[in-house]
Amino acid sequence: LRFCLENTDPRMRGRGIQLLSEVLLQCYSLLQEKEVLHLVLFYESRLQDHHLVIPSVLQGLRALSMCEMLSPGLAVSVLKAIFQEVHVQSLLQLDRHTVYSIITNFMNTREEELKGLGANFTFGFIQVMDGEKDPRNLLVAFQIVRDLIAKDYSLGPFVEELFEVTSCYFPVDFTPPPNDPHGIQREDLILSLRAVLASTPQFAEFLLPLLIEKLDSELQSAKLDSLQTLTACCAIYGQKELQEFLPSLWSSLRREVFQTASEKIETECLAALHALSACLSRSVLSSDSEDVLDSFLSSILQDCRHHLCEPDMKLVWPSAKLLQAAAGASLRTYHRITHSVLPLLLEQYTKHTQSSQRRTILEMLLGFLELQQKWGHVEEDESILLSLQAPVCSVVFSALVDPSVQLQLVGIKALTVLGSLQGFLSSSDLELVVDHLIRLALHEEDSQSSEAAMEAAGSLAPTYPKVFSGRMVPRLEEELQSGRTGKGESYHNHRSLQQRCLQALASVSTHTSIVRETVPVLLQHLQKVQKGTEARNTQDVVAVCQSLHRVALQCQQDAEGCWYFHQTVVPCLLAMAVQAAMQESTHRLPGKALLEEEVLAAMIPVISAATTHLSPELAAQSVSHVVPLFLDGEVSFLPQNSFPCSFQPFGDGECLEAQRRLVALLMAFVCSLPRDVAIPQQEWLLRELLALSCSCNCPFTATTAAKCFAGLVNKHPAGQQLDEILQLAMNRMEPSLAEGPRRMQALTLLLWVTKALVLRYHPLSSCLTDKLLGLLGDTELGPATADGFSLLMAESPDVLHKGCHADVRIMFRQRFFTDNVPKLVQGFHGAGPDVKANYLKGLSHVLNHLPKPVLVTELPTLLSLLLEALSCSDRVVQLSTLSCLHPLLLEAPQVMSLHVDTLVTKFLNLTSSPTMAVRIAALRCAHALTSLPTTVLLPYKGRVIRALAKPLDDKKRLVRKEAVAARGEW
């Protein structure tokens, strides 16, 4: 390179050094110590060369700064040379970035050497950074400043200069250019700068006046940034740094909370006040110093306390929020503020008689009570709360009997909080609490209060299980058993009371000891109400099952409670159902309600929820009883097992139709077992289910048998046994699908087995899916097959979902889409006019359940078909397509803009559909069109506004509501 490096033309010298630097960037790790020394000295001398050469010199120094074989002292030497010889801010952005990289590299590897420079290193960096404007460089520069402070480099007399060189960017005012390839956002710069400003208490005397100044500005973003920075600073400041500025800070925070219309600013002000109070609480107070925290809290109380006496005035809530923000900072601030505020609030509650004013006061009181929860146990010697126990309870109890529902609701919340404060409520108070909750839950007309009381009982019951099981459960049982037959309104009221009793029993079952009391009551009531044939018995049985389901869900996380519920409830439900089925078989009438589809459907989630969370050992114990019950009629494990005839749900004969319906309960049990639990006689069970699903005349029984078969197939280990079962299923389905009276049952089985295999990525799934695609062209089964694609893609509520341990692979929907949508499109184009709608319906079901990001990427190829689907006369196709297009209008406006003419026409036509749901969906899509670029929409504006005038006068209120929103947006 001699010719280049000694050339008189600076451009030629620059090219020579550039080549050398590029070589060094490739091989710096291979250099020996002597070579590094030689190169460093050469590059340092080149820093005095022509300005055209400097960028290449800096690249070479960056390569050398990464060398491990760097002699001691060279890092300092290089940086001194850069500080003295290079005017960094006159360089281009990339070259300035190179300088920051060199500094960063040396700080990472030669920290002790650089610290030897003392404050000179800090001063040199300040000169380098001063005037930097590029956000890419600023992110690196801010990181260097953070490291200077965090790694304890000497700042010497340059603290203010370092603050000035960084704080000049506060508050950050940066809008990234469109299509910015670097991806730097304003938020990145804000957070990086905040980390610098809040990194040392040494900046406090300069930063706090700046924050106060920006807080007083009119710019909302500056206020937000200042408040968030103040909150961050409080984490490292002490009272020494804050003391001088506290009056001004409090004044600014108070003004903002009292006057601002912005919820964000109010939230950040409260967070800042909380942080200030916490910071002062942490500061160690020496005996001879003034208690800064006390005087600060005194100012807050002085400015806010008197507003609490005006529950109708607009400053009451801002004042309460400020006081609560400070009180929540520490136990000390809590005691200081509540000592002053709680007696005042109790006095004001008694003084005011209007429910609205009392509600405001109680809500404020509730805020302070909730803060006490943070500190746990109520300390007798410190807490003002214990000394006010009687008046607080009196106020809360009075709210519970007030006619105002809104005041009752706040009272119930307050009751829940008081109950959570350990040692606050006496035993007599607790009894009164339970009595109030029972009254509200059962007899309060408004359902809001009733539901809130039940929820409160559920949250307090684990804390006081003895009180609730000893006082609440017997009362609820008594109300439930006081059944009397009546007519008209009195009967209706009685049923409503029974419903509430059942809900309350379920709500309070949040502790195992209470579950042991409530479950027998619920089961006893179930046995009582199921003996009847009227429709109301069916509804009563369903209500009990819903309560049992809630109890089952609440027991799932507690192993003891879960097993108790399972071994108590599941045999009992099975026994009652078997008894009812046998009575039906022998033509005895009582108990028929239990065989209704609606009731069996309500029992399924009870048994499922009671089974999914069992340990494998206990599940195995249970399955050894339940499966033999259905296969062998083994009833010995059931309570009250003296039945009039044998139980043969898989037997032949018309008289066994009722027994066959109970396969639904078998499905609920076996399909919810953990995957590693072995099912006895599984192959036999699968064959019986297969036969039942294909031969049964009852659609309900055939479907549940198919679902049970599919649920077991999904979890069955891969291998020869599974292949044989699937082959047997294929042999049974194919002839039935081809012809005969049971084509629909065969289709149902095919759909469920296909779903079971699609979920687990079984190789046979593609063969079965192709069979379904072929059936779309069948005039008889085509529409039902098209609807079946929704079943394949949707989450199933009772079987084949992750909650019941099914084998569900991730992204199975995307895989199904990739494999089958091209075939659906191809089938559509080749289909006759009478079955084209089936393909469109199937496609719209698949697209409707596809994750939206996937759908957006596939949109260009499918949009023409979706638009064609809107012209289909089938309302299901129309609805599915509209619900598919709606999110795409919001998420892919550029693609949709290309078809705006067709979209406008189709949507407006469908706003006059005879089906209300279609009209609503079309109006929502017309509304969503407004998210497309304005220039695209303007030519259609007048036409759309005129067309949307008609649905404004629709006979259905929900349609008119959507029309108003859509037309207003246009």
Side-chain angles (χ1 to χ4, degrees), residues 3 42-43 52 94 130 136 222 277 453 492 606 716 767 783 810 851 859:
F3 168 75
F42 165 72
Y43 271 103
L52 291 174
L94 183 61
D130 195 8
R136 291 164 287 180
S277 304
H492 174 76
V606 180
H716 199 296
C767 170
I810 59 168
L859 185 59

Side-chain angles (χ1 to χ4, degrees), residues 774-849:
L775 287 171
L776 288 172
D778 186 296
T779 48
E780 183 189 348
L781 292 181
T785 307
D787 286 330
F789 278 85
S790 175
L791 184 151
L792 294 179
M793 299 294 282
E795 185 86 3
S796 173
D798 43 13
V799 292
L800 296 177
H801 60 87
K802 285 186 177 177
C804 64
H805 312 290
D807 186 355
V808 182
R809 304 297 173 89
I810 59 168
M811 296 173 68
F812 78 88
R813 291 185 179 89
Q814 288 91 317
R815 180 168 174 166
F816 187 87
F817 171 87
T818 308
D819 291 347
N820 296 296
V821 165
K823 297 175 188 174
L824 273 169
V825 174
Q826 186 182 349
F828 169 79
H829 290 305
D834 53 336
V835 293
K836 270 187 182 289
N838 297 337
Y839 289 90
L840 287 175
K841 191 191 288 189
L843 177 67
S844 62
H845 283 314
V846 173
L847 298 182
N848 247 321
H849 292 96

Side-chain angles (χ1 to χ4, degrees), residues 919-936:
R919 298 201 298 278
I920 289 173
L923 286 165
R924 283 179 182 157
C925 286
H927 190 169
L929 275 174
T930 57
S931 62
L932 303 187
T934 310
T935 48
V936 174

Side-chain angles (χ1 to χ4, degrees), residues 252 559 689 966:
S252 297
L689 289 167

